[in-house]
């Protein structure tokens, strides 16, 4: 597609439920990132995928969070047993190369998660 | 110490003025520095990046980098109301990821 596509755009769930957020990166982009942005806050790195390499999971806040990516295509971020503190906008981004080389992340519109 | 620090603002400037946005970072090994703009309710978009000490100009925007002081700034000349947004400073963390600051909100009044 022309840009990074994320779904759902909005998700309201009850505390304790599991949620899945999906990201479809720009075609040809080998790197895919998930960031979280709480209200009024900056972007918090969650996880990074590069091609078929092992993902960098160093930003995942707890074992309730997990993410998968098949090859260089779609990624799914799963949050199990959601808590109210998980409420945030989850942003997916992709880049053509490692950002330390080119630096340009292309962001999707985000998935706004509200945990009641 | 936070990895990337920015004043949250808001920074208020009148239309036509120069807006100066500042950022400090803690990792002396950082080599790539980026400014992203984020309109309210929207996703961030890249404005500029800078790798070398000194100034880099692109239209009304100038990025300045001082690695010795671990300081990077963004100047916006002839500020317009449409420049009102949150500006996020980002620094590379290794080769693969970026660490973002919390952003500075800029308000340009007509």
């Amino acid at each position: 597609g022309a840009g990074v596509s994320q779904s759902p755009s909005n998700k309201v769930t009850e505390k304790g439920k599991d949620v899945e957020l999906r990201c479809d990166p720009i075609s040809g982009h080998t790197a895919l990132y998930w960031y979280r942005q709480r209200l009024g806050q900056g972007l918090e790195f969650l996880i990074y995928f590069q091609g078929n390499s092992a993902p960098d999971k160093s930003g995942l806040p707890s074992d309730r969070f997990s993410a998968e990516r098949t090859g260089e295509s779609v990624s799914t971020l799963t949050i199990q047993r959601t808590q109210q503190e998980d409420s945030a906008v989850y942003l997916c981004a992709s880049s053509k190369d490692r950002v330390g080389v080119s630096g340009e992340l292309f962001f999707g519109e985000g998935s706004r998660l509200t945990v009641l | 110490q936070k990895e990337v620090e920015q004043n949250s603002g808001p920074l208020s400037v009148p239309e036509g003025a120069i807006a100066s946005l500042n950022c400090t970072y803690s990792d002396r090994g950082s080599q790539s520095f980026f400014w992203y703009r984020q309109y309210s309710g929207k996703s961030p978009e890249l404005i500029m990046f800078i790798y070398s000490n000194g100034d880099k100009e692109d239209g009304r925007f100038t990025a300045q980098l001082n690695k010795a002081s671990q300081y990077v700034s963004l100047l916006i000349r002839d500020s317009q109301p449409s420049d009102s947004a949150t500006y996020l400073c980002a620094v590379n963390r290794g080769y693969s990821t970026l660490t973002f600051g919390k952003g500075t909100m800029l308000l340009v009044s007509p």
Side-chain angles (χ1 to χ4, degrees):
Chain A
V4 178
S5 177
Q6 291 189 246
S7 62
S9 54
N10 276 288
K11 176 72 175 179
V12 180
T13 190
E14 293 179 348
K15 179 180 172 181
K17 301 282 190 181
D18 297 351
V19 296
E20 278 192 359
L21 308 176
R22 175 189 166 102
C23 173
D24 196 350
I26 294 173
S27 178
H29 281 194
T30 60
L32 185 147
Y33 305 78
W34 284 98
Y35 282 86
R36 176 170 71 178
Q37 188 172 33
R38 291 191 168 117
L39 187 64
Q41 301 297 309
L43 274 67
E44 177 186 4
F45 167 74
L46 296 178
I47 189 169
Y48 156 70
F49 295 91
Q50 174 70 45
N52 294 315
S53 301
D56 177 352
K57 303 181 182 180
S58 60
L60 295 179
S62 77
D63 59 7
R64 296 187 296 105
F65 288 73
S66 62
E68 293 183 345
R69 186 185 186 195
T70 305
E72 295 183 357
S73 61
V74 172
S75 175
T76 301
L77 177 68
T78 301
I79 309 173
Q80 295 179 310
R81 305 181 303 281
T82 52
Q83 304 294 312
Q84 288 181 333
E85 70 216 37
D86 299 334
S87 296
V89 176
Y90 289 81
L91 289 163
C92 177
S94 69
S95 66
K96 203 170 186 180
D97 200 342
R98 296 181 174 188
V99 290
V101 175
S102 71
E104 183 152 19
L105 294 182
F106 293 85
F107 284 88
E109 290 298 312
S111 292
R112 181 177 299 277
L113 174 65
T114 303
V115 182
L116 302 178
Chain B
Q1 181 184 7
K2 293 181 180 176
E3 294 183 61
V4 180
E5 294 207 50
Q6 297 181 256
N7 187 319
S8 61
L11 172 66
S12 295
V13 300
E15 184 174 358
I18 296 176
S20 178
L21 304 159
N22 305 314
C23 171
T24 58
Y25 60 95
S26 60
D27 183 359
R28 282 199 171 274
S30 297
Q31 298 185 355
S32 308
F33 308 87
F34 310 90
W35 284 99
Y36 281 77
R37 177 176 61 199
Q38 186 175 26
Y39 291 113
S40 180
K42 299 295 185 182
S43 298
E45 55 182 349
L46 181 68
I47 300 176
M48 290 189 70
F49 60 87
I50 186 167
Y51 300 147
S52 303
N53 274 328
D55 295 0
K56 179 181 180 181
E57 187 174 319
D58 184 0
R60 295 187 296 113
F61 299 94
T62 299
Q64 299 176 318
L65 175 62
N66 184 327
K67 290 186 178 180
S69 301
Q70 296 174 243
Y71 177 93
V72 58
S73 64
L74 180 70
L75 301 178
I76 306 175
R77 289 182 299 281
D78 188 23
S79 296
Q80 301 297 309
S82 59
D83 294 326
S84 297
T86 295
Y87 289 80
L88 301 168
C89 173
V91 176
N92 75 294
R93 184 172 72 101
Y95 286 108
S96 304
T97 60
L98 296 184
T99 299
F100 285 82
K102 290 188 175 183
T104 299
M105 181 183 293
L106 173 66
L107 298 175
V108 182
S109 55

